[in-house]
Amino acid sequence: MQIDFNKNSDGLVPAIVQDAATKNVLMLGYMNQEAFEKTQETQKVTFFSRSKQRLWTKGEESGNFLNLVDMQVDCDNDTLLVKVNPVGPTCHKGTDTCWAEENVQGYGFLSTLEDIIESRKNDQENPDSYVASLFRKGINKVAQKVGEEAVETVIEAKDDNDDLFLNESADLLFHYLILLKAKNFDLNAVVNILEQRH
């Protein structure tokens, strides 16, 4: 890996730290050649602290280390992407990230949809909510809907109408997310099993 530590007069390059599992950005630090080499040697992320003017291994006092998974350099050879497995919160203020965000696995819109389904599950007094009405009818009705949507998806898969197939696939996924919530699970529980099998 070629890193241009001489590009800046202080010999430092930015090091963007990313959780290897969740892909969330945890913090930004700076490395010089020595910090980079120590990180590789110890497998614990080490920076050059501009305030302390010395090498600083994240977690050396708190125990909240950043265990190295991988490092990559960008196209200009002057910025590092450091993928880690964090031990505890990353920020010195006790939060998961230096932006006070929770470091959880996210799946884009599917995570948003899970949150909406969860809110409907707990709002069973709303007569206009389709999701709430399914939860009120119980687990058997929710499971039955998943079965119906699965059959409809299979039928459309055998035809040539991609629009109908994709719409039935969306219905199936939506109802499956409802079933997961009805069983008090989320998508992450299923992804974890798939990762273990991989």
Side-chain angles (χ1 to χ4, degrees), residues 113-124:
L113 190 54
E114 280 190 308
D115 291 342
I116 293 169
I117 291 169
E118 180 69 31
S119 72
R120 298 294 194 275
K121 177 183 177 184
N122 297 325
D123 181 24
Q124 297 192 22

Side-chain angles (χ1 to χ4, degrees), residues 26 30 98 138 175 190:
L26 304 177
Y30 293 87
C98 289
H175 286 90
V190 177

Side-chain angles (χ1 to χ4, degrees), residues 47-158:
F47 302 102
F48 182 82
S49 170
R50 294 172 301 167
S51 59
K52 299 173 182 165
Q53 285 296 298
R54 66 169 176 85
L55 292 187
W56 166 66
T57 300
K58 174 71 180 86
E60 64 187 27
E61 295 176 10
S62 66
N64 297 330
F65 293 102
L66 298 172
N67 294 320
L68 181 66
V69 174
D70 186 38
M71 279 195 285
Q72 299 170 331
V73 66
D74 76 340
C75 57
D76 292 324
N77 298 327
D78 64 358
T79 302
L80 290 168
L81 177 61
V82 184
K83 297 180 182 181
V84 303
N85 287 327
V87 177
T90 297
C91 184
H92 69 282
K93 292 186 175 181
T95 55
D96 287 350
T97 78
C98 289
W99 293 270
E101 294 178 327
E102 195 175 359
N103 183 25
V104 295
Q105 182 69 53
Y107 303 102
F109 177 71
L110 290 180
S111 294
T112 301
L113 190 54
E114 280 190 308
D115 291 342
I116 293 169
I117 291 169
E118 180 69 31
S119 72
R120 298 294 194 275
K121 177 183 177 184
N122 297 325
D123 181 24
Q124 297 192 22
E125 300 301 317
N126 185 348
D128 298 326
S129 167
Y130 170 73
V131 174
S133 72
L134 271 181
F135 282 119
R136 283 195 299 271
K137 291 174 184 172
I139 189 70
N140 289 344
K141 183 62 177 176
V142 175
Q144 178 186 342
K145 283 299 294 179
V146 171
E148 290 170 7
E149 297 301 340
V151 169
E152 290 171 10
T153 301
V154 169
I155 290 169
E156 293 303 335
K158 299 174 80 165

